[in-house]
Amino acid sequence: MLTFIKPHPFIFNYKSVVIPGIVTFLIISIFAPFGFRELTTGHRLFFGLGLGLLSSLAIVAVVAVARKLLPDWMREDQWTVGKEIVLFLSVVTTICLLIFCCFVFFDLSSGSPRTIFKLVVLYTTLLSAVPITILVLYEQYSFQKQSAKQAMELTKKLNQVKTAPLEAQETIDHVLFEAENGKIELQIAWDKILYLKADGNYVNVFYLNQRNEVQKKLIRNRLKELLETLPASLFFHAHKSYVINGKQIERVEGNARNYELVVHATGDHLPVSRSKSNELTIFLKSL
């Protein structure tokens, strides 16, 4: 079932700009809607090229303005299906307005402005929906395929370093986790720690006890503070809410947003922020 808050990869590249423009040009030149069939072939190609350029510029402009005015809303690591739909509608609306202005400015139709606007919205929406939908689906498929391939490569690297001996400076007997008041809440060997999960003003520490059973300890403190007590070469801050022990990563998987790290002992899937993708590669190589 499709939900508007479902994670969705934000993809914006040259294809996102060029392909809609080419499709617009082909539609105007071949199918000739809006009465363009009455024009000569040369004029039709001219207007098709112009409207194609306008469509591409509209996409660039909408994305640029949104990133400028709504930087938090446009964050790629928090992109959702709902945001993708809103962005799509914003682009189509902008294209409709630009085409309508062209019709009025060049006096391309004898109808009233109201009638012209209705026709422009109708035709533009119908004609743009199919190619844009196909483009989005293709990009999502390509992205997920690429993410899955990269995840497999990272998993191979992970398997290569799992049995590698630790450097002398990385060997730490125990880690002390303190609460905000300075009280020691947990003392544990670093290799028994699975991962940390932020939960408001608290942090859940998942670890293995002496019988190698998974346990959880709730500590009142910030994730940033607890992270400073961990060896940076062995623990990866994968997401604003998650820190994972590199030696406890079973494999890397690709998902709609980017990567997920599978915890060996629990099978939990921890998200990796898109901004952390490059850091993940470097981290796994250094284990």
Side-chain angles (χ1 to χ4, degrees):
M1 181 177 179
L2 181 64
T3 60
F4 293 116
I5 61 174
K6 182 178 180 181
H8 195 70
F10 178 83
I11 300 176
F12 182 70
N13 50 39
Y14 75 94
K15 294 180 182 178
S16 307
V17 176
V18 173
I19 293 180
I22 293 176
V23 171
T24 301
F25 169 74
L26 294 176
I27 289 174
I28 297 297
S29 303
I30 298 174
F31 298 101
F34 309 124
F36 277 107
R37 193 169 296 278
E38 300 176 3
L39 301 177
T40 63
T41 301
H43 284 88
R44 197 159 61 200
L45 292 175
F46 172 78
F47 280 108
L49 179 61
L51 294 177
L53 289 174
L54 281 178
S55 298
S56 296
L57 290 175
I59 295 172
V60 174
V62 169
V63 174
V65 170
R67 282 176 168 169
K68 182 70 175 179
L69 301 180
L70 304 169
D72 292 336
W73 189 82
M74 288 291 292
R75 285 181 56 181
E76 295 184 12
D77 60 343
Q78 294 184 4
W79 199 247
T80 63
V81 172
K83 291 181 178 181
E84 184 80 10
I85 293 174
V86 171
L87 184 63
F88 166 76
L89 293 176
S90 300
V91 169
V92 172
T93 300
T94 303
I95 293 175
C96 288
L97 291 174
L98 290 174
I99 294 177
F100 171 72
C101 291
C102 287
F103 267 78
V104 174
F105 182 80
F106 292 105
D107 194 22
L108 297 176
S109 177
S110 58
S112 65
R114 185 175 181 178
T115 301
I116 295 174
F117 183 76
K118 287 182 178 179
L119 290 174
V120 168
V121 172
L122 176 63
Y123 279 107
T124 302
T125 302
L126 292 177
L127 293 174
S128 63
V130 173
I132 291 180
T133 300
I134 293 175
L135 174 63
V136 170
L137 292 176
Y138 171 74
E139 288 181 335
Q140 306 313 311
Y141 170 77
S142 299
F143 176 82
Q144 293 181 8
K145 186 176 180 180
Q146 181 182 7
S147 294
K149 181 179 179 181
Q150 292 175 344
M152 290 179 62
E153 293 176 352
L154 289 174
T155 299
K156 290 180 180 178
K157 293 177 182 177
L158 177 63
N159 292 331
Q160 292 173 356
V161 301
K162 271 184 178 180
T163 57
L166 295 176
E167 298 290 339
Q169 65 270 23
E170 292 177 339
T171 304
I172 298 176
D173 291 336
H174 287 83
V175 175
L176 300 179
F177 288 116
E178 297 181 353
E180 287 182 335
N181 59 10
K183 179 183 177 181
I184 296 177
E185 295 286 347
L186 182 64
Q187 179 175 334
I188 187 172
W190 71 264
D191 58 345
K192 293 293 184 179
I193 302 170
L194 301 177
Y195 65 94
L196 284 66
K197 178 183 179 182
D199 186 9
N201 294 324
Y202 295 83
V203 175
N204 282 302
V205 179
F206 293 82
Y207 64 97
L208 299 175
N209 62 20
Q210 293 180 348
R211 296 187 298 273
N212 282 331
E213 298 171 338
V214 178
Q215 286 192 258
K216 179 175 68 173
K217 177 68 176 180
L218 185 65
I219 301 175
R220 183 178 178 84
N221 208 333
R222 292 184 301 168
L223 183 63
K224 181 180 178 181
E225 296 295 328
L226 298 186
L227 179 60
E228 293 179 355
T229 66
L230 299 170
S233 59
L234 298 172
F235 287 82
F236 181 63
H237 196 180
H239 184 273
K240 64 180 182 179
S241 300
Y242 292 93
V243 172
I244 186 171
N245 185 343
K247 293 297 184 179
Q248 294 292 346
I249 301 175
E250 180 177 331
R251 64 183 182 277
V252 183
E253 292 186 354
N255 63 11
R257 182 168 291 177
N258 203 2
Y259 296 127
E260 287 184 343
L261 303 178
V262 181
V263 184
H264 177 71
T266 65
D268 294 338
H269 289 63
L270 309 188
V272 178
S273 298
R274 181 168 298 179
S275 59
K276 298 279 188 176
S277 297
N278 292 333
E279 293 181 32
L280 175 63
T281 302
I282 297 173
F283 173 78
L284 293 180
K285 287 181 179 180
S286 66
L287 279 177

